[in-house]
Amino acid sequence: MKSFEYGDGEIGHTEIFYAVASMVIAIGILNLPRDLAQATNYVDGVFSLIIAGLFAILFTWMIASLAAKYPKQSFYSYTASLISRPIAFVITLGLTIHFLLFVAYETRMIGVIAAHYIFDRTPIEVASFSFLMLIVYAVSGSHVGILRLNLMFLPIIVLIAITICLMNLAYFDTENLSPFFTTDLKGYWKGVQESYFSFSGYEILLFYIVLMNRPKKAPKFAALGMIIPVLLYATFYVITIGVFSYDTTQTMVFPTIELAKEVEVPGGFFERLESVFFIIWIMAIFNTAAMAYDVSLLAARSIFKKVKKKTLIFIFSPIIFLAAMFPQNLNEIRTMATYISYSSLFVVVFIPIVLLVIAKLRGIKGSE
Amino acid sequence: MFFKYFNNQRKQQNNQLNQSEQEDFKVQLFRTIDENIENIKKLYDSPDDLITRKFTIGNTNQECAIIYIAGLTNKTVIDNRIMQSIQIESVESGKNVEVKGDALLNTLHEKVLHSSVSKVVNNLDEVSLAILSGDTALFVNGTDKVLILGTKGWENRSIEEPISEGLIRGPREGFIENIRTNTVLVRRRVRDSNLRFKAYQVGRRSKKQLVVSYIEGIVNPDLVKELNRRLESIDLDDAPESGYIEQWIEDDFLSPFPQLSHTERPDKVASALDQGKIAILLDGTPFVLIAPMTFGNTLQSPEDYYERWIVSSLIRYLRYVAAFIAVFLPSLYIALVSFHPGMIPSKLAFSLAATREGVPFPALIEALLMEATMELLREAGIRLPKPIGQTIGIVGGLVIGEAAVRAGIVSPVMVIIVALTAIASFSMPSYGMALSFRMLRFGFMLIASVLGLYGIILGYIALNIHLVNLKSLGVPYSAPFAPSFYGDWKDLVIRAPITMLTKRPKYTQTGDTERMDNKGGNST
Amino acid sequence: MNRVKKGFIIFCMTLILLTGCWDRVEIEDRGFNIGVAIDLEEQRGEEVEQPQGDYVFKGTYQLVVPRGLQQGEGGAGGATKAYQNLVSRSDTMFGQVRNLAEETSRTPFMKHLQLIIISDEVAKKPKVFANILDFFLRDHEMRRGINVFISNGEAGPIFDVDPNPDNLPVMFINSIAENARKRPEMLPEQRIGDIYERLVDHHSYLVPQIKLGGDNNIEIEGAAIIHGHNNRFEEFITGEETEGVRFIKGEYDAGLLKTMIEDNLVVYEVKRADSKIEVNTEDKEQIEFTINISTEGNIGESFETLDYTKPEVMDKVRSALEKEIERIAQTTIKKLHQDLKVDALQLGSYVERKDYKTWKEIKDNWDHGENYFAKSNIKVNAKAMIRTSGSVIQIEK
């Protein structure tokens, strides 16, 4: 069936912009303020956060320009042309696993938070499983469809985030912010690390830029897309510290959800905003997980060309579920998150730099 | 896949049928009148509304016959224009009616009969179709050609205000069952030489006339091509209503949403054509299909453009809220009452608990009971004659609701919820969408009763996944939100002042994008 | 085939979703717990093998009886009370809530909890105050807006107060507590979230006092001082001292001040008040605090016949008012600074912000041990501004 060009396989720069923002906004923000507050003093963490954000924007730009160099070529194919087929195969396979783990982590976290804030007796497995099924439904549609979901959800997500921040202004105490610059350098560095991890996820660009109709615009809009989460997270952090003071922030499991809990809507239909917040945040987490799964399918299909997408989904989904249910408690989940973050760091910093350098050295030009 | 298989099977069966029927009569025209009449009578099995009249012209002995179906034709035309012309005028004016066969037919056609709609045909299929469509066939002895005279004329409903789409302000005309009248109604509104009416015939047996209408130069040619492809594929026995066409050419038959919109209003069709959309008119139904449609379209009414923009924008928001209520309110109630009473403000929670005290059912059953009653009432109200229908509404709504509360079967709050939901779904401008919402509502109620709010949000996300993958004639259903065409938002998020709506919608990818001069209006 | 598979997935999903509804409890089956009052039951002496706390608490839980809230329906049958007070005894809060389930047909539901009253007897035991609040902070069901009070005397009976014209005593108490905006003698409500911050940063703090008056009335006035380093209740302060606290902390919303001008009363209506605290940390042994209080307001009532159009009259009234404010503040400071030596005004946090290095050194000995707080100097300056003197200049001439 022939249909419109824009209805089919191609995406514009808007989709890339939204994709980066949606991918990054997810679980990270829920516990980021605590990790940051543990590393730094008072509101100093926001500087770490912004430095990490700048790094993230830089890397986003780098990755996007790498991928945009080879328009309409899959990651596997241009990697193969740069550094031989077997190495490209291994890297792509690694990326597939990396993204699958990502999905597993998000799936598990959904279960954990749902069980904590919404449910009492409903098992985590059920919450996670139904979420995973939803992702499976999403990825069995088109790639473009998933990117379009971002366009529909991200505004709602940003809106609820801003609402929470605004409503907390009533409890905001500027005195909680000062004194400034009391953290030592080591603390700042730790803060940068912690916040950098919460910005991971934009490595999806390696695979999504293939779908773009005008990839030259990709680096600019991807970097712009990264600015949204950086600003949002910074705002959240300042508000959290202002409302709770940094000592208290350190002691809460999910400070951001507590922030929503702090608010009491006067005369509203909903009294407990944290449930509404979390409910909306499920959309954010869904976007992230769905894109990660989608990208892992893209990666896997670029190396196993003959296998059908449906077959891959049927193979991957049980693996994801088992991986999601593997950690026993919050600490083990955190360990899992740390591993994912490190592999993400490897993916976004090491691989692109190496590839860019090799591309320069060997002078292989993409079909520009 | 399945469809193609079934189609093939059906085709084979049909061919067999046709062959067996064809044994009785000959698919050809004869040179003598009697043979022709006999043959046609056989073809129709001599029904009593088939009128055959044999006569000889004036004082010659040229034998002629007219055949038509009583009731489909305008008898005055036949008597005064055809019979009279042939019998009296031709002889008196001394036209040459002495010739025979073909020549006579031509004389009659060119000189004698003053009917503007007439043509000469020479095969039985066309003759038969013409007779069935209300034309009159004139046979002349000695030729195998037939003169078809346009005498269509049957009783039509007059043009009335459409019942299904009422407006306060706007034209009061609605389409009727006659396709000619309908095309006229469209033409009268779009006086553009580029307005195209492309005719199709639909229905293996009934051969309904179907007209595809669009404005050349505005419409995207790919859309027309795609629609053409789909229409050509139609293989139906009969298409009694445009719903048949809609269901045949829609993109996804599993979807809960209608993928083509239908309307009874010519003004709505005209403005759709103006936006680069395509209208599909079918003979025998006042409902005209419009393609492509998007989700946003379903919440718009033509009246939005007739009233001033601030009012219209606000009313649109009201509709968005109504749509939300129509789908989600009962499920939210279930989720809040059965799962998350902590989210209800304390005082409201206590009084909710008080009203539900003594209600024997869980919220889900309570809601299902009331919603099912509501649906029943609605269905009953449609089926009954109008005056009684309204009574049913009142009796059902008030008496049953009140009695159910008194009997302690449902809580008063539930009655409010159900009533609100019903009112909200009545306020949808598109009936097709209102039906989908009714259906989705039950789905959300079920999922809310299992997973509470978490279930609702999962369901909502699933619905969105479906929406972004759904297409209407190849155009994404979720446009212009996703993919975003920000230019189109001023006719979606708000209804911007007419002077600012200078561009045609982008999602239809029109040829001519400018709707008016950029400076438009007096408001400068 | 694509569609069939899609359908299959959806079908699977529904099947799984249909297997159970774990969390469904209908709203009328929940026992809405809206208030908790904690009293001391006994002190444990001997060691037992079973792990147990040092104290056994008696918790009074107020549950809503929704039927009693319905109006008009009861008729002549005598209205049922809208609430039910249940008593549960245990050494842990969690245990108490669990015990409740034995006593009531409804599942106890804590998400609408709005009030915690802890008796002074309980709060006097070191650390116990924090231990009690732990459950209410840890449990995700609890909101952060729960009001916390310390009762002067037994806490439980407060829940039997006559809530007229409301229905529920807890709601009644909360609405009275909201009046703190108009009554400077009352401490503004302390939400459990606020106290949580104090528990973490170890500053001393104040909790509003609640007391059962005669005639089954409640009195909310004054406050209880809790020492930050061990979360132990020290002493109550009076209404006037609370007023001073609110002046010093800039939490004064509105109220009236009386002053004597030539043996006659003049009433000053405070519309707005603010305070600025300056710290001098040059000598950590002798930290200096300067508290500048400024108020704005009108003359509300004047028994003395004065011509308020004259600047010198205004000056006179103003300086009298300023002296009065300073007097009130000094009373409070005397009690907290000199008598009790507890920094319930959280002056320490100003040091922290001003001079983080010094603060780090003295933090652990701020208002206990070495007690740098007691060694500090506190100065109070007040400024009163009179905006208008009302509609009349003077009623007699």
Side-chain angles (χ1 to χ4, degrees), chain C residues 45-62:
Chain C
E46 78 274 30
E47 291 286 317
V48 204
E49 203 158 302
Q50 193 187 3
Q52 59 180 16
D54 292 339
Y55 311 100
V56 175
F57 305 109
K58 182 185 100 178
T60 311
Y61 290 80
Q62 184 156 95

Side-chain angles (χ1 to χ4, degrees), chain A residues 6-7 110 118 127 268-269 271-272, chain B residues 340 342-343 345 454 469 471 507:
Chain A
Y6 71 78
I110 276 277
I118 314 188
F269 187 64
E271 197 163 54
R272 305 292 289 262
Chain B
H340 317 287
M343 284 176 68
Y454 184 69
N469 284 315
K471 281 171 190 166
Y507 63 86

Side-chain angles (χ1 to χ4, degrees), chain B residues 340-378:
Chain B
H340 317 287
M343 284 176 68
I344 313 172
S346 301
K347 281 185 179 159
L348 183 61
F350 304 152
S351 62
L352 273 181
T355 58
R356 273 191 54 82
E357 197 87 43
V359 175
F361 305 115
L364 170 71
I365 305 293
E366 194 192 359
L368 280 180
L369 259 179
M370 283 314 280
E371 287 290 348
T373 316
M374 196 65 224
E375 296 300 323
L376 270 178
L377 281 174
R378 199 192 292 227

Side-chain angles (χ1 to χ4, degrees), chain A residues 1-8 14-15 18 110-111 114 117-119 122 126-128 130-131 134-135 137-142 144-146 148-149 151-153 155-156 267-272 275-276 278-280 282-283 286, chain B residues 220 222-223 226 229-230 251 329 332 336 339-340 342-346 348 450-455 457-469 471 473-476 478-479 481-486 489 506-509:
Chain A
M1 188 184 303
K2 189 190 179 297
S3 26
F4 277 179
E5 194 181 280
Y6 71 78
D8 247 3
T14 329
E15 273 86 356
Y18 275 92
I110 276 277
Y117 281 99
I118 314 188
F119 293 137
T122 307
V126 174
S128 292
S130 40
F131 183 72
L134 193 68
I135 296 171
Y137 176 48
V139 293
S140 51
S142 63
V144 181
I146 288 175
R148 284 195 182 140
L149 278 176
L151 307 193
M152 302 179 92
F153 290 161
I156 306 179
F269 187 64
F270 297 113
E271 197 163 54
R272 305 292 289 262
S275 305
V276 181
F278 175 61
I279 293 289
I280 301 286
I282 290 177
M283 290 189 195
F286 164 80
Chain B
N220 186 325
D222 287 345
L223 271 183
E226 171 67 17
R229 194 189 63 75
R230 293 192 195 182
D251 294 60
L329 188 63
L332 277 178
L336 287 181
F339 286 85
H340 317 287
M343 284 176 68
I344 313 172
S346 301
L348 183 61
V450 179
L451 286 176
L453 269 183
Y454 184 69
I457 194 72
L458 292 193
Y460 175 74
I461 294 175
L463 196 65
N464 275 295
I465 297 174
H466 173 69
L467 271 178
V468 291
N469 284 315
K471 281 171 190 166
L473 208 65
V475 171
S478 50
F481 277 122
S484 314
F485 297 108
Y486 296 110
W489 282 27
K506 247 190 168 161
Y507 63 86
T508 44
Q509 295 215 319

Side-chain angles (χ1 to χ4, degrees), chain C residues 4 13 31 40 43 58 71 90 106 109 184 208 270 301 359:
Chain C
V4 174
M13 212 165 142
L40 195 64
Q43 194 160 347
K58 182 185 100 178
Q71 285 155 355
S90 171
R106 311 278 160 90
F109 182 67
V270 185
E301 219 173 334
W359 174 248

Side-chain angles (χ1 to χ4, degrees), chain C residues 26 29 39 73-74 198 283 313 364:
Chain C
E26 295 301 324
D29 297 331
D39 285 303
E73 207 115 320
R198 297 290 88 75
D283 181 3
V313 174
D364 296 329

